[in-house]
Amino acid sequence: MNELVRDIPIVIEARRTRLQRLGDWMREHRGAIQAVQWLVVVFYLGLLIWPALLPLPREYAHFYENLVLFAQFLFWGLWWPFVMLSMLLLGRVWCGVFCPEGSLSEWASRHGRGGAIPRWMRWGGWPFTAFVLTTIYGQLISVYEYPKAALLILGGSTIAAMLVGFLYGRGKRVWCRHLCPANGVFSLLSRLAPVHFRVDTAAWRQASPRTPAVDCAPLVNIRDMRGNSACHMCGRCSGHRDAIVLSARAPNQEIVSLRDRDASPWDAMLLIFGLLGVATGAFQWSASPWFVQLKQGVAEWLIERDIYWPLGNDAPWWLLTHYPETNDVFTWLDGALILFYIGTTTLVIGGGLLLALRLAGWLLGRRAMPWRLAYGLTPLAGISVFLGLSALTIAFLKAERIGLTWVPGLRAVLLLVAVLWSGWLLWRLLAAEGGNAMAFNRRAIAWLCLMAATVPVLWSWVVMFYFW
Ligand code: SF4
């Protein structure tokens, strides 16, 4: 009997999966995670502030020889594209374990006023609005190229995060939950991650009601958590009430099992107009020969009519790119045409996708918009953003004369994966919509409409990578 009792912990330990052990390790080693967070904070602030105080490189330099270029490579060549990729692979581990802004906001909230979250902050449109405004503003001031612009946008966001943390919540990440410009994107992409903190509701109910609550910084309603979208994967709740376990799952599971009432029009807007529209336009305008032709045409038209003020380049650097020392100065016309190019791309891509959703809804016999179907576009949106951001990485590596003959092939494979994955998800979402009663033909036509609407996205990447 005694031997049996002694062996029980060994049996239980053996039955815990590696992931479960990892989740529990994260809970038990908060100190180590916090040490990593503070290290990232120091590194992040150093790379954000220091290069902004240095002169811009006037002639060619390797990125590892010049701090301005080094910071640029780290921020935009590595950090951004691979944080996006990590969302697809690991969920929001970046947010819970590494993000300096989240750490600083939570720290400020622990020492702050502890106010209640105001109603305006709970508006569901913030993730979409903040993403769109930040992306467009970043293009106008060339955030990817200049450290002062990066300091303004990233530093401004960090100060706002700390201020919100100081004013609202008690040790919580109110900023991350409601206002962070990347929150909506991360919340969408992490739905595809093959790992999550799974909640066993039966075990939860059986646990003692006196079990102390978990200090969940992003304010997740843990008992009802059905996926990754709001969870920062910090591990603090691992093993809570013997009901929460870090587990593997099928990457499509969260989206396919999404309930109608959980589908948000704002998420759909962020996918079709934000990630597939605004972001695509923002990544592509500077490589586009159409942009150059349009600019020349409009400039000639203006000069013929003696209208010169749009060609003036007297805007300050925080409004439009203005670096005469590197011959990089935007005119008012440049600014207007960047807005026009991004706006047109957004309308063509997003408008087409919205129309296809409407048509699919009509074929399903629905009056309301089938927002749930839009989540099927998440793989396409995630891979599209990764391709756009990694174009900067490739540009850096090209400047170093590193052999990149494999890049076109890899891009083609990623585009193929994106379209097949989204196609499969859309098909499964459509199947779940109408059940068996829904005629196969209608489902197939709805699917074709939705897939046809993805063609402009694919075409825009094919043109940019293989023809321009
Ligand atoms: S639910 Fe909250 S506490 Fe649990 S892992 Fe996610 S963020 Fe951390």
Side-chain angles (χ1 to χ4, degrees):
M1 182 67 185
N2 279 348
E3 252 178 37
L4 198 64
V5 171
R6 211 181 52 223
D7 289 346
I8 285 173
I10 299 170
V11 174
I12 291 173
E13 182 60 25
R15 289 178 68 186
R16 286 164 77 222
T17 63
R18 273 189 201 170
L19 278 176
Q20 192 174 353
R21 284 201 289 266
L22 176 63
D24 292 349
W25 185 93
M26 290 170 79
R27 184 198 64 223
E28 287 154 12
H29 294 82
R30 284 293 310 147
I33 291 178
Q34 279 166 342
V36 170
Q37 287 173 331
W38 284 110
L39 261 177
V40 177
V41 167
V42 172
F43 194 62
Y44 165 77
L45 291 179
L47 279 182
L48 195 58
I49 297 167
W50 197 356
L53 306 174
L54 297 175
L56 293 171
R58 301 273 175 113
E59 50 198 42
Y60 177 78
H62 295 288
F63 72 84
Y64 47 82
E65 290 172 340
N66 180 290
L67 189 62
V68 172
L69 296 176
F70 182 68
Q72 194 186 355
F73 178 66
L74 280 196
F75 273 131
W76 310 115
L78 289 183
W79 173 47
W80 244 164
F82 289 97
V83 164
M84 291 293 172
L85 195 62
S86 79
M87 295 294 148
L88 295 171
L89 299 176
L90 304 169
R92 302 180 66 165
V93 174
W94 163 262
C95 301
V97 178
F98 300 105
C99 177
E101 211 162 83
S103 312
L104 286 168
S105 189
E106 187 179 336
W107 174 79
S109 182
R110 287 198 189 289
H111 301 89
R113 221 190 47 163
I117 303 171
R119 248 183 87 182
W120 63 266
M121 208 181 275
R122 295 177 189 271
W123 179 53
W126 282 124
F128 172 77
T129 311
F131 173 80
V132 168
L133 292 180
T134 314
T135 305
I136 292 175
Y137 184 47
Q139 292 305 304
L140 293 177
I141 63 170
S142 299
V143 69
Y144 299 145
E145 276 92 35
Y146 296 105
K148 272 201 297 188
L151 179 60
L152 180 63
I153 290 195
L154 297 177
S157 166
T158 304
I159 289 171
M162 291 182 72
L163 194 66
V164 168
F166 184 80
L167 293 175
Y168 307 111
R170 290 183 194 281
K172 301 299 180 206
R173 296 187 174 201
V174 176
W175 167 265
C176 311
R177 170 83 196 201
H178 295 289
L179 296 178
C180 168
N183 175 39
V185 181
F186 291 170
S187 131
L188 283 169
L189 301 191
S190 62
R191 289 177 190 271
L192 291 171
V195 285
H196 71 146
F197 277 97
R198 179 169 52 79
V199 182
D200 179 340
T201 38
W204 182 287
R205 268 188 246 113
Q206 279 168 13
S208 160
R210 282 198 290 276
T211 313
V214 177
D215 174 24
C216 174
L219 299 153
V220 179
N221 176 3
I222 300 176
R223 193 182 64 177
D224 294 332
M225 181 166 69
R226 294 175 58 88
N228 269 348
S229 62
C231 169
H232 284 199
M233 307 286 277
C234 70
R236 284 182 229 183
C237 63
S238 184
H240 182 62
R241 296 172 80 111
D242 287 330
I244 301 182
V245 177
L246 182 59
S247 321
R249 63 176 185 176
N252 292 339
Q253 181 190 311
E254 186 170 335
I255 290 183
V256 171
S257 61
L258 192 75
R259 299 171 299 188
D260 250 343
R261 66 171 183 269
D262 295 329
S264 147
W266 284 114
D267 276 352
M269 289 293 144
L270 182 56
L271 271 166
I272 63 182
F273 285 108
L275 288 171
L276 292 168
V278 171
T280 306
F283 288 131
Q284 297 185 356
W285 71 266
S286 59
S288 169
W290 303 331
F291 181 83
V292 178
Q293 284 166 12
L294 181 68
K295 190 172 133 179
Q296 280 172 351
V298 177
E300 281 167 19
W301 186 88
L302 288 168
I303 291 167
E304 281 165 15
R305 281 156 188 79
D306 288 337
I307 305 171
Y308 292 104
W309 69 262
L311 305 176
N313 58 11
D314 50 341
W317 67 269
W318 45 266
L319 197 58
L320 286 176
T321 302
H322 191 90
Y323 299 92
E325 64 272 39
T326 55
N327 285 325
D328 193 2
V329 178
F330 284 3
T331 62
W332 295 103
L333 178 64
D334 287 323
L337 290 182
I338 290 168
L339 294 179
F340 175 78
Y341 193 97
I342 296 176
T344 308
T345 311
T346 305
L347 283 181
V348 170
I349 291 179
L353 286 165
L354 195 66
L355 195 67
L357 273 179
R358 184 65 275 180
L359 264 171
W362 177 72
L363 285 160
L364 297 172
R366 278 180 166 229
R367 281 177 175 225
M369 197 73 166
W371 296 119
R372 188 171 157 271
L373 292 179
Y375 290 83
L377 298 165
T378 310
L380 178 63
I383 292 176
S384 176
V385 168
F386 177 74
L387 283 171
L389 289 168
S390 61
L392 301 166
T393 322
I394 301 299
F396 269 107
L397 298 180
K398 260 190 192 153
E400 295 300 322
R401 298 183 203 287
I402 292 173
L404 297 169
T405 45
W406 46 271
V407 170
L410 181 62
R411 282 172 166 163
V413 169
L414 286 175
L415 283 172
L416 194 66
V417 169
V419 76
L420 290 178
W421 192 353
S422 270
W424 173 238
L425 255 180
L426 284 168
W427 183 254
R428 292 195 58 188
L429 286 167
L430 279 166
E433 280 282 326
N436 293 333
M438 186 181 159
F440 179 84
N441 287 354
R442 285 185 160 235
R443 191 195 302 169
I445 296 170
W447 182 81
L448 282 174
C449 284
L450 290 162
M451 292 309 287
T454 65
V455 170
V457 182
L458 296 171
W459 179 76
S460 71
W461 288 117
V462 169
V463 169
M464 175 169 155
F465 291 145
Y466 303 102
F467 294 103
W468 287 348

